Amino acid sequence: MPEYRRILLDGAAVQVTVDDDELVAGDGRRVKIEDAQHLPPVVPSKVIAVHLNHRSRVDEFRIDLPDTPTYFHKPTSSLNSHKGAVVRPEGCKWLNYEGEVAIVIGKTARNVSPAEAGEYIAGYTVANDYGLHDFRDTDAGSMLRVKGSDTLCPLGPGLVTDWDFRGKSLRTYVNGKVVQDGTTDEMKWDMHYLVADIARTITLYPGDVLLSGTPANSRPVQPGDVVEVEVEGLGRLTNHIVTGPTPIRTDVGAQPTESEEVLSTALGGDWEFRGIRPPKR
């Protein structure tokens, strides 16, 4: 399966192809994969993510899915790359990983059927849909700061074409330990359905990204942790967590919180009481 990556090569953003352990530019320049400075493999005009899709995650929440999916938006300023640093702002504590498959649009899509949607997909890449749950109390509806803060959308390492999404494993590792273990077959809505659903009212342009949902066991990570998401046939996306150099400003806006809603979402468990348990005394 062809794989395309974007790297910074001699100061310019360059698309390259994978050739064993090297990346090859169109003009013949080569660089070792381990030495390359990766960029997000695509340049989207928008990133749209489905809230819940994997059965294991739904079971963990102890809820029933609606008949159709719901979505949120991650601004393009949240984009990050393979081997990039994911920033947990100073003053925040509840940064969670969410390993996912990312759909990449290949040609303009509007009002297409699920049966046609595959024709509009360029390929797929690996994503980690990080969530900064410290802002969940104020942004639970839009998820804007929870999911859209800077660096919280790593994609990569490459765009893989001709990849069949069916029956593929998806695992997330923290410091080498498996923390999420799922498959694409546990998704209620497949890749073609998601594309067709969004394209009913929102035009999708080449390079646009749709995140397809995460399995169970999203949990917080700490500065210094190395987080990897591996999808069968798409490769392994690696990032590390750092603390932001400046704290969240206190002279404007909502502040990070640590309510029962925040804790139950970040830490999991006791989902039937999520958001309604009284404070511990």
Side-chain angles (χ1 to χ4, degrees):
M1 293 178 289
E3 179 179 349
Y4 302 92
R5 301 190 184 189
R6 291 177 66 248
I7 63 171
L8 193 63
L9 183 59
D10 295 334
V14 177
Q15 180 173 286
V16 294
T17 56
V18 177
D19 182 18
D20 292 328
D21 63 346
E22 292 186 319
L23 302 174
V24 185
D27 60 6
R29 285 178 294 173
R30 289 177 174 264
V31 60
K32 291 287 188 182
I33 290 178
E34 61 186 25
D35 297 330
Q37 183 175 347
H38 281 76
L39 301 170
V42 294
V43 184
S45 71
K46 51 188 167 291
V47 179
I48 297 172
V50 64
H51 277 107
L52 291 171
N53 197 5
H54 282 249
R55 284 192 297 271
S56 62
R57 185 70 165 152
V58 174
D59 291 344
E60 181 183 35
F61 270 73
R62 301 183 186 179
I63 61 172
D64 294 322
L65 279 177
D67 292 335
T68 56
T70 60
Y71 303 90
F72 59 92
H73 177 249
K74 291 173 81 85
T76 55
S77 52
S78 69
L79 286 171
N80 202 340
S81 63
H82 177 53
K83 297 186 179 180
V86 174
V87 178
R88 190 185 76 177
E90 186 177 337
C92 294
K93 296 172 60 176
W94 304 111
L95 176 66
N96 282 43
Y97 54 78
E98 292 188 12
E100 309 202 3
V101 175
I103 307 161
V104 178
I105 299 300
K107 61 181 182 179
T108 301
R110 181 69 165 86
N111 196 31
V112 301
S113 71
E116 299 169 319
E119 302 171 17
Y120 295 83
I121 296 174
Y124 300 85
T125 188
V126 186
N128 199 329
D129 180 21
Y130 281 95
L132 190 65
H133 292 295
D134 305 74
F135 286 101
R136 191 172 187 87
D137 285 329
T138 54
D139 285 3
S142 69
M143 302 289 276
L144 181 61
R145 284 170 289 197
V146 177
K147 293 300 188 78
S149 294
D150 290 355
T151 75
L152 298 192
C153 188
L155 300 175
L159 169 66
V160 178
T161 61
D162 299 327
W163 181 74
D164 184 350
F165 60 79
R166 299 167 184 86
K168 298 301 191 294
S169 64
L170 188 165
R171 294 185 179 91
T172 303
Y173 303 78
V174 175
N175 301 325
K177 179 182 178 181
V178 176
V179 292
Q180 287 185 294
D181 193 353
T183 77
T184 55
D185 283 348
E186 66 170 296
M187 295 167 57
K188 179 173 181 179
W189 301 290
D190 70 17
M191 313 302 184
H192 295 168
Y193 184 101
L194 298 176
V195 170
D197 187 17
I198 289 295
R200 290 183 304 157
T201 61
I202 299 174
T203 300
L204 296 172
Y205 296 108
D208 282 353
V209 169
L210 276 66
L211 305 185
S212 61
T214 194
N217 297 316
S218 165
R219 296 293 185 270
V221 284
Q222 309 299 324
D225 286 343
V226 175
V227 185
E228 300 168 284
V229 182
E230 184 177 46
V231 178
E232 182 182 351
L234 296 183
R236 185 179 288 215
L237 169 68
T238 301
N239 298 98
H240 59 282
I241 312 301
V242 301
T243 300
T246 56
I248 297 293
R249 293 188 67 98
T250 59
D251 59 351
V252 63
Q255 297 302 301
T257 56
E258 200 169 1
S259 69
E260 177 56 36
E261 171 73 8
V262 170
L263 293 176
S264 60
T265 303
L267 297 175
D270 294 334
W271 290 103
E272 69 269 32
F273 302 115
R274 179 173 174 265
I276 63 172
R277 285 181 289 187
K280 294 180 180 178
R281 298 185 184 279

